[in-house]
């Protein structure tokens, strides 16, 4: 293997094949089954008129998200959080990240007093579940807003979506900066960064973590460059999928 | 609508289209994505050498099951049980039913000191989630046992599966006995019965419940006749699918 | 021991001695201490005007039930569910069964907007705790309705009870079909069935489970015959007890 | 009503009728159904060879207790602690009190490496449930130790019980010091004291609480005098009951 | 060491150095950092207009308390109760004791429909954490009432505090009665008593426990004498601190 | 107010006064009471020989952290997580962040099979509690390692600490980039970033979040510059404090 190729033959800057199946669910107001390689996440958006009590009467809507993994989405079966009786820190962290990412591109005034709950359930996990979740959640969210407009819950002229949003994990593995880490790469990465970027190319979240040795400013810059390129590809795919109709 | 046809045009004795996709999961030792009409359940079987401590040293294996619904598998979003912090009675009841149904056709001596955990996660719900779960779980279980035999955890000559098992819900709706109730039928049914039957046609579970008026011995017999016929069809489909290989 | 006698000398179709002590509790609106042999269950019925919020304004009442075992009702002490911090699947299952059984013979319109909560607490367990619970719960329920009528919460002419209800466990032990299994019989039974029957002889619940080998249609029929006879005896006893007054 | 008589005609120093039914349970190694007037508590003692891991190998035994109320033991139905998912402060407090009271009269060396768990389940509550529990628990404990001696778990000469123990609630109601408060008295008491006393007349616990105005040293002394007299009566009853055999 | 001196040189009747730092918190309406020797407790009082729903409209206020220990306030680190997912019996017991002690010297009518929540968090523990908590909580409570009066929530003439309250632990160690036990003394004490006394010298709580042998009436009297003297010293210190202003 | 000064008169790049009191706890192996302005956090380090079971026999140690806020550390009292019965997502997130930050500068081989648990308890909160926690936790950790070396648990020549670590929050408030945000600034910040930096100036964590509008690459760079400067000041203070001895 040459130094610049990866276990599955990709170049460092190359993402895995990404597919998005819109309108997967017959029940939800918006939905998308997204895959980043072997990672598969079912994203649904549930639209409900009205907001939680603490927001009522302010004329603004609410978007929130929950993330979970099926027990055998992983290589070894994990115990269900419902069986353990509590939600782990990692699950909380990712649910909050997805919610913040979507709220960054929502104009809650334009949404009106309506609530959208996003569920991201990982059916199969091979690294990048949180970034696939954010990228798919945006498509489900956009579908739910189309639905709400078609059903008169959001007015024709209102533009609740101010931009699109997508995310990718980037990292340094064996001293090479790489995009869209698969599980085996992620577990060997010295530095791991999840970057959430709008369709316009601005940052919503930058979360970089030194798993081993601390990282330098130069390494940080290289990783951000990779992330900006990959999320631009994802934004393009989202646009195409949403233009097709469900 | 004539008195003998149903909302989707089926005859009373007719099941919805049933499909089983074997080997859906790249991670699990056995898996099947089963659909009974719009009801879709992902069934995985996780094989682990060894048994829980209370069984150790007895030379017998263990098979257990867990059932869960994705929050937006239903028409209105349900709160996750992990968020509520406890598992509801219905979930417990169905998990236990699936486990008992599978153990009825397993020879745990022949399985050896190995554990198989079945997970049935409902991706989309339109009635009959527990019966689809049992029917799909059997396919995942059979796959996991093939895997275990191929990987030397179960000996070539051992026959841990003594039979196959499948299930159907039958009920009386507007005084007509029907097979494989969809959600709208189930919610109007006066009597509802879940029947688990082996490939040989014997009963593993008979659970009949009067939702409205109590039911007579004659009605019980009609429902059992329907269930025996429908589960025979399911057993035939299971045989075909498993013969094809994954 | 001849093939047709049991460990305590009963014939296969014979129930254990059944006693019902009405009005056991000085606090509850209805109560009964029931024993099926060594199995003893304290059943209370708590009547409250009004219904849960989700039922309010519909003009119908609500009946629900909770089942629990004292920690040393059994041969070995069990941990309390309150100490474990969660309710087990079996407890949930039985609580739901008792509630459904009683709702099958209640006309909730005639009950009016009132709630009755049944508590079945097992003081001593020797098999058949769920069937004794249902049988005793009916007596407590009937007492609570008498109380409600006497106290003006239910009108004189209303008939909230449409029938009576009783239950028995039947099973196949050593190839013999038997009624009202004691614990030692139950744990050796190949097939175990709990049957809930109205005073008129119709079925409310039929729950048959193959603990070992699956069972045939003929065996199912034999067991149902036994259950119908035994519950007819129980219905007669309930009538006598309730006629006596408390 | 003259100033020195009570709602049920008792004199201030007079306890309610106390009955103790030994050996109530067919399952437990020791048991007693105790009543202080309408208050009824079922006390069982579960004997197990061996001790919790943190005590193993020290040659000493362990005695602990759990207290609980049936949901309809009270005038208004209470929610079960198992349903609420946590044990309330009052339950914890009383369980700990019962355990400490019994450990004060146990020689754990003489008990050997054995564990006795006491369960006190209140079937009907009319004040004094914790003091009735302690008094009944002693009888169940003594029975369990007899059983252990008869079954060879405790040697013939060992004397694990160093004394007996009983308890009473005393309090000041309308400025009169009274023994064994019934519920209506307890809820009007300005000062309420639970006193646990050995058969020899020494104190194990003194728990006095000013519910309204603080109390004086003189009032404290009057209450202690009452408690010493009442617990002497209880000790005498315990001796009689245990002498009779079960 | 002579028989009448203690490990830190104190006489039996002597308390450890006690310091109270008023107004420690910049956020709370009342606060005090209290130390009894190495035992340090941060007490805050949170004032909120309004009362819990069950008290609304009765014209009376509410005072309650919560006690907790930091995980490394003790010699060996304890697991957090938030991590264990449940609050232990000891914590509940002490929280309730602090609340009752404060309510004994509060006129809830004069407080008006306002709520004060006291938090006692043990930063460092060396015995006597509950008695230090009560003593410090009174100062925080008095500050919060001053604040409420200054901010117009309680009228100028209202006197919600009817007295002061303080507490001390006393016990018999090696047959000598001692005041204000440090941890090493407490763990060797045969009898341990927590006594809560008003500024006027009357009792609010007397909680004596025989850890080893039961105690006699004479011992009880000696301990109460010690407690009355020590709490008088504490009351004097509270008066001085509160007179100084924050 | 000129555009470049802040509510408390600081310049944009200026931190609040930072104080670190080493050895605050008499019980813990390492401790520090740190303040960033009005934010005060008590950090303790608990050293225990041995490691969790999953690490045993690998020759490496373990460092983990828990973060919590006292209920009245904030402007309005929060409910305790122990009372709510579960730990919130924010608490989990911060505990994990502190643990990862410390593990980045620990050589677990050099630590040997020993465990250090860091507790960061916020006594008073005014923004920056997580960054103050990390900065103080490092001092407590360093103290605990000194203690372990002095007590023979870590060998004289081993260097478990490979660097120091400190953290600061930076953000954009009213379009001005500022360091060490106080609570009122943090709640108005459009972009908020927590940066964890080693003594050598490399990054351990970079967590930037757009609270309002997404942020540009240029803004990200300005914030990182500020963070590098402020954490260099903190590293200098840590060196000075640790050089002084406790």
């Amino acid at each position: 293997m040459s130094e610049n190729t990866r276990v599955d033959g990709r170049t460092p800057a190359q993402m895995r094949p990404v597919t998005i199946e819109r309108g997967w669910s017959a029940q939800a107001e918006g939905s998308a089954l997204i895959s980043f390689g072997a990672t598969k996440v079912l994203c649904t958006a549930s639209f409900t008129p009205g907001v939680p009590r603490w927001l009522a009467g302010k004329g603004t809507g609410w978007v929130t998200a929950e993330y979970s993994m099926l027990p055998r989405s992983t290589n070894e079966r994990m115990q269900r959080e419902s069986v353990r009786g509590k939600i782990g820190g990692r699950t909380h962290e990712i649910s909050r990240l997805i919610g913040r990412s979507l709220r960054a591109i929502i104009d809650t005034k334009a949404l009106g007093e309506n609530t959208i709950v996003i569920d991201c359930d990982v059916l199969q996990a091979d690294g990048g579940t949180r970034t696939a979740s954010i990228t798919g959640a945006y498509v489900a969210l956009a579908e739910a807003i189309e639905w709400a407009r078609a059903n008169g819950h959001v007015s024709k002229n209102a533009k609740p979506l101010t931009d699109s949003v997508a995310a990718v994990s980037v990292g340094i593995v064996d001293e090479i900066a790489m995009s869209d880490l698969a599980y085996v790469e992620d577990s060997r990465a010295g530095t791991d960064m999840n970057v959430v970027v709008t369709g316009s190319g601005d940052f919503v979240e930058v979360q970089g973590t030194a798993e081993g040795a601390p990282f330098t400013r130069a390494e940080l810059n290289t990783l951000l460059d990779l992330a900006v390129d990959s999320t631009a590809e994802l934004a393009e795919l989202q646009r195409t999928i949403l233009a097709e109709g469900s």
Side-chain angles (χ1 to χ4, degrees), chain A:
Chain A
M1 180 167 73
S2 105
E3 70 183 335
N4 278 342
T5 57
R6 296 157 77 175
V7 80
D8 54 2
R10 285 187 280 159
T11 62
Q14 195 180 354
M15 295 193 72
R16 292 172 290 181
V18 175
T19 65
I20 303 177
E21 184 182 341
R22 277 188 68 167
W24 189 91
S25 163
Q27 322 268 28
E29 286 75 32
S31 64
L33 179 63
I34 190 166
S35 59
F36 277 25
T39 290
K40 298 184 188 184
V41 185
L42 178 54
C43 307
T44 59
S46 298
F47 184 99
T48 333
V51 285
R53 192 180 307 184
W54 52 272
L55 261 187
K58 303 195 175 161
T60 63
W62 182 238
V63 174
T64 187
E66 290 184 9
Y67 165 97
S68 187
M69 300 179 85
L70 291 199
R72 193 56 200 276
S73 60
T74 46
N75 219 28
E76 301 201 8
R77 184 177 186 275
M78 304 180 304
Q79 196 182 22
R80 288 172 194 271
E81 292 184 320
S82 59
V83 170
R84 281 181 27 218
K86 55 183 175 184
I87 294 179
R90 179 183 174 278
T91 297
H92 265 136
E93 219 171 286
I94 299 178
S95 294
R96 286 155 58 91
L97 171 64
I98 300 169
R100 283 198 311 269
S101 298
L102 298 174
R103 285 192 294 272
I105 50 95
I106 276 278
D107 174 349
T108 53
K109 287 279 179 198
L111 180 56
E113 292 208 353
N114 296 298
T115 296
I116 300 177
V117 180
I118 303 291
D119 287 288
C120 295
D121 285 274
V122 179
L123 305 186
Q124 197 163 277
D126 184 27
T129 61
R130 79 187 72 188
T131 52
S133 293
I134 291 166
T135 307
Y138 168 73
V139 175
L141 177 66
E143 268 201 351
I145 288 172
E146 276 178 31
W147 178 93
R149 193 177 280 120
N151 286 269
H153 296 294
V154 165
S155 77
K156 296 291 176 204
N157 304 319
K159 292 190 187 308
L161 290 174
T162 59
D163 204 335
S164 69
V165 70
V168 74
S169 78
V170 290
I172 300 175
V173 185
D174 302 337
E175 301 187 7
I176 304 174
M178 297 179 178
S179 183
D180 186 27
L181 307 185
Y183 179 73
V184 290
E185 294 169 336
D186 189 48
S187 56
R188 281 169 44 221
T191 294
D192 178 22
M193 188 171 302
N194 290 289
V195 188
V196 185
V197 185
T198 63
S200 320
D202 289 332
F203 297 103
V204 170
E205 291 270 342
V206 173
Q207 296 196 339
T209 299
E211 302 288 345
F215 55 96
T216 65
R217 185 77 171 258
E219 289 170 328
L220 173 59
N221 280 327
T222 306
L223 290 172
L224 290 171
D225 290 342
L226 273 180
V228 167
D229 289 350
S230 292
T231 51
E233 287 177 40
L234 292 170
E236 181 56 31
L237 178 61
Q238 288 172 328
R239 258 187 302 273
T240 308
I241 294 286
L242 285 167
E244 282 169 6
S246 55

